[in-house]
Structures are given as C-alpha cells and as structure tokens.
Amino acid sequence: MARLVLCVLALLACGLADPVHKVQQKIADHEFLQHQVEVLNLFYHIHEPIHEPELQHWDQWDLIQNIEKYTNETAVKLYSELVKADLILPRGVPFSILEPTHLLEAKLLYNVLYSAKDFTTFYKTAVFVRNKVNEGLFVYVLSVVLLHHPGTQGIVIPPIYDIFPSYFHNAHVLTTAQRINTHGKQWIEHYPSTYVWDENVVIRWNDTVWPYFTDDYTLTYFTHDVNLNAYYYNHNLLYPYWLGGQETPLIKDRRGEFWWFLHKQIITRYYLERLSNGFGEIPVLDFNVVKQGYVPQISYHNGIPFPVRPNHFHLDQPEFVEAIEKIVDYEHRVREAIDRGYVVNHVGEHINIHTPEAIDILGRLIEGGVDSPNPKYYKDFISIWKALLGNTLWHKQRYHNDLVALVVPSVLEHYQTALRDPAFYSIWKRVLGLFTAWQKTLPSYDVHQLTVPSVTIKSVEVDKLVTFFENVYLNVTNHLHLNEHESKAVADDVTVLVQRPQLNHKVFTVRVNVTSEVAKTVLVKFFLAPKYDSNGEEIPLHLNTENFYLLDIFPYDLPVGNVVIKRESTDNWLTIRNWTPGYEVYEKAYNALHGKGQFVLDRTHRLNGFPDHLLLPKGRVGGFPFVLLVHISEFRPSKIPQGSNYDPIVSYGLGSGARWLSDEPFGYPVDRPLYQWQADLVPNLHIEDVHIFHKHVPEVVVPQVV
Ligand SMILES: *[C@@H]1O[C@H](CO)[C@@H](O)[C@H](O)[C@H]1NC(C)=O
Ligand SMILES: *[C@@H]1O[C@H](CO)[C@@H](O)[C@H](O)[C@H]1NC(C)=O
Ligand SMILES: *[C@@H]1O[C@H](CO)[C@@H](O)[C@H](O)[C@H]1NC(C)=O
Ligand SMILES: *[C@@H]1O[C@H](CO)[C@@H](O)[C@H](O)[C@H]1NC(C)=O
C-alpha cells in the first residue's frame, strides 16, 4: 500500500533541527502501523516478562540457526555465546551505559538488532531477548536501534518517563501507587494526598510526602521536571557517545559542536532559573568540598535507593585519590591542546584547532567518545566527575559470573536523571570554561562580519512575559505489578496518575520592526540573558555572552522597505508542546490499524524538541529583568540543504549531514565575546530590556472528587 501524503498549510518549517519543507504530516500506512503496534508491545510493563500470548513462543528463536538473516554474523555469534554462558547483565539490577561491561553487551546487542535483514527478523530477535536481557539495557539499545535503523524510521518510542516511572517519581509516591494497585479504589482515603478521578486514582505529588529531608528544594520544579530530563536522555539516544565511526557517520552532523551547544543551552537556562529564585552563581567546582549535597528520593525498581551525596562532601578522601588524579590529568591534556592550538591524534599527527570550525573537534575531544580524534589520550573525565560527585566510588564492585559488573549508579550517571542533581551544572560550568578558554583564542567578530548591509532593526516589542504553575498528570501504571487477571487480559484494571505542578508561560509575541533596502532571506534569532548577576551588578556584554540562551531561530523573507516581523511563541520550532503519552500512541496506532481513525506522523513526536513549558524562566512576582537580543544575519543555507537526503517528516536524518538549517556556528553571534561598542555599531543587532513576571495561581487545582 502506497503511503499517502497529506499536505497541510504551507507553514514554513524551520528552526535548528527542522527542515525547510512544506509537507508537514504523513498518514501512516498499514505496514507501518503493524510495526508501530508490535514495537510498543515490547515496552509494555517492561519489568515483567512479555505478555502478549502470541509472542511468548518466540522465546524459542535460535540466533545461530537463523544466522543468515543477519548481516553481522560476528556479532550474532558473539552475542549468542554471551547469552549461553550467562555473561549478560541479569534482569532487575541497575544498568549503566558508562560501565564498560554493560557497554560491551549493549554494543553487541545493538549490532545484532541493527544487522537484522528484515523487520520480521528484527522483531523476533527483540522478542527473544525481551525476557532475557536486563530491562534497562533492552530499552536503551532497542530505542537507539529504532532511531538509527533505516527500516524503522518514524516509529514512535514512548517517552522514557512512561516506560520507567521509577527514575522520575519519588519512592514514596511509587510505593503508594503499588498499594493502590493491590487495593484498587478502596481505602484511598487512608493514603496521603490521593483521590479518584474518573476511572483513575491520582496521587498528588507533594513536597510533604517526603518529610525526611529539609534542604531547600526550590529549584526542583526545574531540575526534576520530567520533560527536561527526558529531553536530555533523548539527545543521548540520538547521539550515543559510543556510536559513530565509518559505519554510522554521525560526525557529519557537527555532533561535537552540537554537543557543546546543547550543554551550553541547558546550563544557561538553569542559571536564569537560579537568578529568578534569588540564588547565587552556579557553584564553582574544585577539588576540596562540594557544599550542596543531594538526596535523590528515588529508588531503583528493585528497591535499592540511589546513592546520596551528603552536604559538605569532602573530596580529599583516600578512596578518591585515583579518580582525582585522572581528572586532573585528562583535563590538563585538553587545556594543553587549547593553549598549543592543536590536538595530537593517535599516530602523533597534529590537528589544528585554531580555527572557528574546530569547535566540532573540541566537542568530540572532550566528550571522549568513539568520534574523538584520539580517545585513548583525551579521555572522558566528565564521567569520572559524575562517579565522584554521585558518591558511587565507595561502592564495592560485585560481579555476576565473575565478569559482569553489578553497580548502583548515581543520578548523575543516567541521562534520564542527571539534570536532577545540582552538581551536574557545576561539573558543566567547569567544562564550559574549557570551551570559553578556546573561544577566547579566536579573534572576536569584527563589525563587518556581524553586519548585514542595508538591514536595520528599528525597534523590538515584546508582550508582557508571564509564567505560572499548572498541574500535569503522569501515568505511572507501567511501574506497577500486574495481577493474574491483568496479566491474562494484557490490560490494567487500575490506572495510577501522579499529579505534579510544572512551570509554564503565557503565549507571547515578539515584534521586530525592520527596514531593508533590498529584498532578501535572512535568519532571525532571539536570545535571552540575565541583565544583572546574583549581586545585582549589571553584567557587561562581553562577559554576558556566556549566558545567552537561544530562544528561537527562523528564516524570514524580508521585503524592501519597512516590515514588522511578528513571531508567536507557539511558532517556535526548537520546542515541543508535550510528547504523546505511550499509551495514547498505542491506542491511536492500534485503532488505525483496525480501521478506526488515522495515525498521523508529524513533528509532535519529535524526541529532540525542548519542552515548550520551560521556554521562559520563572521570573518574579514583581517582574525580573532580562535582556532579549535580536540578531538578523544573512541566511546561508547548509551546504547539503536541510532535509535533502532523507524524509524529514518521519526521520531525524541522523548522520545525513543535512539536519541543520544553516552553516552558521551554533549560538552565533554570541558564541564568542561580543563587546558593547561592537553591538552599538551593528544596526541588525538589537538588545531590549524585558521583564518576566510570575503569577501565583492556586497550584493545586483539584478536579471533581468522585
Ligand atoms: C559487527 O559486530 C561486531 C561485534 O559487535 C563489531 O565489532 C563490528 O564492527 C560489526 N560490524 C559492522 C559492519 O557493523
Ligand atoms: C501536601 O500534603 C499535606 C499532608 O497530606 C497537606 O496538608 C498539604 O495541603 C498538601 N499540599 C499540597 C500543595 O498539596
Ligand atoms: C517601524 O519603525 C518606523 C521607524 O521608526 C516607524 O515609522 C513605523 O511606524 C514602525 N512601524 C510599526 C508598525 O511600528
Ligand atoms: C496508563 O497506562 C496504562 C499502561 O500503559 C494504560 O493501561 C492506561 O490506560 C493508561 N491510563 C491513562 C489514563 O492514560
């Protein structure tokens, strides 16, 4: 059956990661729907064996007997030996992609699944391993394969917080959910903060349900936000540090540069939130004491709590000596490369990093992944920082069958929880310092480079910017055990939702009044930065460039003369409203497969969209001052036009080299120090003072209690 293509209004798709394509949607065909439903079955109640009766006999799939169905026979042979010898990570224990023995298994399984010659083989293999391999490893590897395999493009992966609620909700809430799971709706009046809503039981997430910790938790609405954490996890599915090289040319996507930019965005965004709440600068990390501790409040599904870092955590402990020596060494190697202006590759050749494009090399170098110019010499010190500050180093190594490490990683060592711990931002502030040191070795942009002749911004007007809290409801049912009846029916009798407040903002419009002497296509960018630091001192522009957060980016056709560019916050292509809950995706795909309704593929499923509700920092009740920088540059499309060699509606085009709108450096023109006198001379650059107001609304809007 041919895939139907539905054209909607010719909205111009743009932004950093979206192709300039006019076709916005596709209706999934029968074959796609079949695959979509089958894949979602694999994620259902992941902690338990597979439920679908017709899938259970695929448990008997024999890899070796079917070896001709895979292109990578080496991987299949090695993997089946690993399974036979029981050298795979057992189910139920924590998995960490940063642990070498776990990584080895993950890469092998990736190669097996990826090399399946057709979908049926892929699926049978996935079902076969579903009950055997560790569920954390399974979900991670399966997701990476689905995103990278040409045959599975467009298949929607449920949001990680639907698959593994235990990484996102505290242990008290989830224990209450288990009680509800057993008792149904009876006795809920005995549980804290619980009520019935329609057919569901809702647990109010509430600071007070975790009364054992008294530290200031003001910023958790940001650091614990499930969508923010999922966003970071998703990026690491798209660009795993271990995936790349010749076979998977992710290097074409400027992965090193984007890796830097993504982190810069997250750290600057967090800084804006700190300032809004009257907190000081992000603490500087050194080798003495980490003042702020962290109690994760979450537990692994098997009941083991995440490691805790106490307040005033001393790093001069005998257990840490080795780790700290490594960090010092590896960081030093990077600093040396920056000062010398070159990197040494594995055969001793020098690679010049004294050019603006070398940001990509520097990024890959510091990440220390497979695409680093020399991962044996420039090693990943960020992961050592994470183990150190996550307080996992004291943990005595235990092994499964003497070989597979059993670990209890901290929140910092999982992508889906790393952003919860304030130490993440301190580590990254330190890492960004290395990038800034490199940026300072480049000449600053001269005024001619920044100027688009004939284009002048006359004024910028911004609506009143208002933030507020609203409640969201997250389905944690996949975390719960199925009873006999549910397991037979492959359906849940009880649905448990967790109600949490999240930051959001009112829709706003930015109007840029521009004159141009010629008609041309330009690229417009909005950045947000603080006006004052935590001491109330105005930050000079050339120092503030580090703090500019890219809010929006879009191409625009300027006519001759005067025009007002009107941009709504809802047009933003860097952000996404919400990922469709896993269960809803399943329902829609299942219904469409059985002739009820359609399953539409479009950008709402985009894993790499930043959560729109966090676009603006909270601000303050009386208004908090920020600056909005608007820059208009010549639109220089990428050398390989965006979206040209893949189908941008279904695919991310990973490794295509055609993912980005423009060849401009990410973060241009505030990717290098910019001086006020320069800004004053550039007519197509405008800095406007803005205030963000926070509005109190009753944070707990209780729906009709039945
Ligand atoms: C096949 O799998 C092996 C083992 O994982 C791996 O080393 C090799 O690179 C893979 N080959 C290809 C072509 O992907
Ligand atoms: C949190 O729970 C406590 C005790 O159950 C209750 O008194 C309080 O009103 C709740 N607060 C919110 C914001 O729901
Ligand atoms: C834009 O700016 C010009 C020059 O300052 C002014 O004449 C014009 O009225 C402005 N347009 C709008 C719509 O504000
Ligand atoms: C919550 O998720 C479970 C398991 O996926 C599903 O059975 C249930 O219908 C969902 N409930 C709601 C309200 O989405």
Side-chain angles (χ1 to χ4, degrees):
M1 187 166 143
R3 291 197 179 165
L4 291 170
V5 177
L6 181 78
C7 301
V8 296
L9 257 167
L11 293 159
L12 192 63
C14 47
L16 218 49
D18 265 280
V20 190
H21 270 242
K22 301 210 158 74
V23 181
Q24 299 282 301
Q25 293 185 327
K26 249 187 179 178
I27 307 297
D29 66 15
H30 186 83
E31 188 189 5
F32 182 94
L33 292 169
Q34 187 89 42
H35 295 172
Q36 177 68 69
V37 169
E38 285 175 347
V39 162
L40 289 175
N41 279 332
L42 296 169
F43 290 103
Y44 183 71
H45 282 269
I46 191 71
H47 296 289
E48 307 196 27
I50 206 151
H51 299 88
E52 297 289 333
E54 67 270 29
L55 294 184
Q56 283 163 8
H57 62 269
W58 284 5
D59 227 15
Q60 306 305 320
W61 179 254
D62 191 315
L63 286 168
I64 297 297
Q65 272 177 24
N66 291 289
I67 198 159
E68 79 289 352
K69 297 192 171 122
Y70 302 86
T71 54
N72 192 336
E73 299 197 352
T74 320
V76 174
K77 278 183 199 150
L78 275 171
Y79 186 70
S80 71
E81 273 164 34
L82 215 62
V83 173
K84 265 200 210 107
D86 190 18
L87 289 178
I88 59 174
L89 184 67
R91 284 177 66 80
V93 303
F95 155 74
S96 166
I97 193 62
L98 301 177
E99 161 55 45
T101 56
H102 299 192
L103 172 65
L104 184 119
E105 182 187 337
K107 282 206 283 198
L108 211 47
L109 181 58
Y110 175 87
N111 281 325
V112 171
L113 286 169
Y114 190 87
S115 80
K117 287 182 184 163
D118 51 63
F119 188 85
T120 311
T121 308
F122 163 77
Y123 193 56
K124 284 187 174 168
T125 316
V127 174
F128 167 68
V129 295
R130 165 73 168 71
N131 291 351
K132 287 185 182 54
V133 310
N134 178 276
E135 56 271 43
L137 190 142
F138 176 80
V139 165
Y140 176 75
V141 173
L142 181 67
S143 308
V144 177
V145 176
L146 288 168
L147 289 168
H148 288 86
H149 197 289
T152 47
Q153 295 301 296
I155 291 198
V156 181
I157 302 171
I160 184 68
Y161 46 79
D162 278 353
I163 308 172
F164 286 122
S166 53
Y167 291 102
F168 299 88
H169 302 279
N170 81 39
H172 194 164
V173 165
L174 290 181
T175 307
T176 307
Q178 292 287 16
R179 291 172 72 181
I180 294 165
N181 192 41
T182 306
H183 295 149
K185 287 171 205 161
Q186 59 172 333
W187 297 341
I188 62 157
E189 67 275 17
H190 297 288
Y191 308 149
S193 301
T194 305
Y195 63 93
V196 174
W197 177 24
D198 277 354
E199 289 305 300
N200 314 302
V201 180
V202 183
I203 305 172
R204 271 186 222 114
W205 175 93
N206 180 334
D207 290 318
T208 57
V209 301
W210 191 270
Y212 321 110
F213 194 66
T214 51
D215 235 17
D216 194 351
Y217 257 64
T218 314
L219 279 177
T220 53
Y221 69 84
F222 181 80
T223 55
H224 289 190
D225 184 276
V226 297
N227 291 292
L228 180 71
N229 280 280
Y231 169 74
Y232 190 61
Y233 172 83
N234 292 344
H235 171 78
N236 286 286
L237 293 181
L238 299 170
Y239 291 98
Y241 75 94
W242 49 269
L243 190 65
Q246 300 280 317
E247 302 293 333
T248 318
L250 298 179
I251 197 168
K252 287 192 191 167
D253 300 339
R254 293 157 70 184
R255 74 180 293 183
E257 182 182 359
F258 189 67
W259 184 74
W260 158 73
F261 187 63
L262 173 97
H263 287 95
K264 185 195 170 187
Q265 285 282 93
I266 292 174
I267 305 310
T268 50
R269 183 64 192 76
Y270 171 74
Y271 182 50
L272 300 179
E273 214 61 67
R274 283 184 76 91
L275 292 174
S276 294
N277 286 282
F279 285 28
E281 304 299 302
I282 299 174
V284 172
L285 192 56
D286 59 27
F287 294 103
N288 299 317
V289 178
V290 180
K291 272 203 194 139
Q292 191 173 7
Y294 183 68
V295 181
Q297 314 179 23
I298 52 179
S299 289
Y300 286 102
H301 188 262
N302 65 1
I304 295 177
F306 276 72
V308 168
R309 178 182 64 253
N311 284 338
H312 293 280
F313 187 60
H314 284 265
L315 298 186
D316 59 343
Q317 300 187 34
E319 290 101 320
F320 299 161
V321 171
E322 199 189 322
I324 288 178
E325 272 175 0
K326 282 186 185 164
I327 294 175
V328 170
D329 255 14
Y330 302 164
E331 281 188 354
H332 174 74
R333 292 174 194 180
V334 174
R335 258 191 219 103
E336 195 177 56
I338 292 169
D339 289 343
R340 288 194 169 153
Y342 63 79
V343 165
V344 182
N345 76 3
H346 67 292
V347 288
E349 292 161 352
H350 294 182
I351 304 170
N352 180 17
I353 55 165
H354 214 104
T355 69
E357 301 75 41
I359 177 85
D360 190 51
I361 301 174
L362 192 67
R364 285 184 273 121
L365 184 87
I366 296 178
E367 184 176 23
V370 62
D371 281 327
S372 158
N374 190 353
K376 292 220 168 75
Y377 183 67
Y378 302 100
K379 296 197 199 185
D380 168 19
F381 57 84
I382 298 175
S383 298
I384 310 177
W385 270 122
K386 288 180 175 173
L388 187 65
L389 300 191
N391 201 11
T392 53
L393 289 176
W394 56 270
H395 183 81
K396 199 167 174 310
Q397 280 281 21
R398 307 261 325 244
Y399 296 91
H400 168 70
N401 283 340
D402 296 336
L403 271 176
V404 184
L406 298 173
V407 294
V408 186
S410 63
V411 289
L412 289 170
E413 292 158 278
H414 295 284
Y415 303 120
Q416 65 269 40
T417 51
L419 269 49
R420 296 170 71 97
D421 185 345
F424 177 89
Y425 307 92
S426 289
I427 295 174
W428 265 97
K429 184 173 173 169
R430 195 178 162 97
V431 177
L432 289 177
L434 293 170
F435 284 96
T436 310
W438 171 83
Q439 281 156 347
K440 285 186 181 149
T441 69
L442 301 175
S444 64
Y445 292 115
D446 71 41
V447 170
H448 293 292
Q449 270 173 301
L450 298 173
T451 306
V452 184
S454 83
V455 175
T456 306
I457 300 178
K458 294 286 181 195
S459 62
V460 172
E461 256 181 55
V462 187
D463 282 356
K464 186 173 176 181
L465 302 173
V466 178
T467 67
F468 56 89
F469 281 102
E470 66 187 0
N471 280 326
V472 287
Y473 301 86
L474 294 149
N475 189 340
V476 297
T477 311
N478 264 324
H479 174 83
L480 308 175
H481 310 300
L482 291 177
N483 63 29
E484 214 177 326
H485 169 254
E486 291 174 316
S487 162
K488 278 203 185 106
V490 199
D492 300 278
D493 295 339
V494 186
T495 287
V496 182
L497 305 177
V498 176
Q499 169 189 309
R500 295 168 59 136
Q502 77 174 14
L503 185 68
N504 202 348
H505 56 85
K506 286 200 178 160
V507 172
F508 61 90
T509 309
V510 178
R511 292 179 188 81
V512 186
N513 184 340
V514 185
T515 58
S516 177
E517 286 158 24
V518 288
K520 63 164 76 180
T521 308
V522 293
L523 192 61
V524 186
K525 268 161 286 164
F526 300 157
F527 293 90
L528 192 68
K531 189 168 171 70
Y532 304 102
D533 67 13
S534 56
N535 296 320
E537 311 268 358
E538 186 162 343
I539 314 176
L541 184 60
H542 67 282
L543 299 178
N544 210 9
T545 34
E546 283 180 36
N547 302 319
F548 274 87
Y549 174 75
L550 179 68
L551 276 183
D552 201 353
I553 176 170
F554 56 98
Y556 193 86
D557 290 322
L558 276 185
V560 179
N562 188 249
V563 69
V564 175
I565 303 175
K566 185 173 166 236
R567 183 75 170 173
E568 307 272 349
S569 57
T570 46
D571 294 338
N572 195 313
W573 279 89
L574 299 174
T575 59
I576 180 162
R577 211 55 48 74
N578 264 320
W579 291 290
T580 316
Y583 183 71
E584 246 176 84
V585 178
Y586 181 83
E587 236 183 358
K588 278 191 186 139
Y590 185 89
N591 286 342
L593 184 64
H594 294 90
K596 274 184 270 165
Q598 286 172 328
F599 189 76
V600 178
L601 293 167
D602 60 16
R603 64 180 297 282
T604 60
H605 299 297
R606 248 179 6 141
L607 283 180
N608 58 340
F610 186 80
D612 171 70
H613 68 266
L614 291 178
L615 184 63
L616 294 182
K618 184 172 159 219
R620 293 208 187 147
V621 172
F624 192 76
F626 292 93
V627 293
L628 180 79
L629 183 148
V630 179
H631 184 248
I632 295 181
S633 54
E634 203 85 53
F635 178 49
R636 284 167 299 188
S638 297
K639 279 182 227 57
I640 315 174
Q642 191 179 39
S644 57
N645 51 8
Y646 61 92
D647 181 348
I649 299 164
V650 295
S651 170
Y652 294 94
L654 298 167
S656 65
R659 298 197 63 210
W660 313 117
L661 187 61
S662 153
D663 282 334
E664 240 181 34
F666 293 128
Y668 176 84
V670 279
D671 58 334
R672 293 188 210 169
L674 181 74
Y675 288 84
Q676 190 64 49
W677 65 267
Q678 294 176 302
D680 293 342
L681 290 174
V682 180
N684 46 304
L685 187 150
H686 183 99
I687 298 178
E688 181 78 18
D689 284 354
V690 294
H691 283 76
I692 298 182
F693 296 85
H694 183 68
K695 219 177 125 200
H696 280 306
V697 285
E699 291 186 7
V700 192
V701 188
V702 185
Q704 200 63 50
V705 177
V706 181

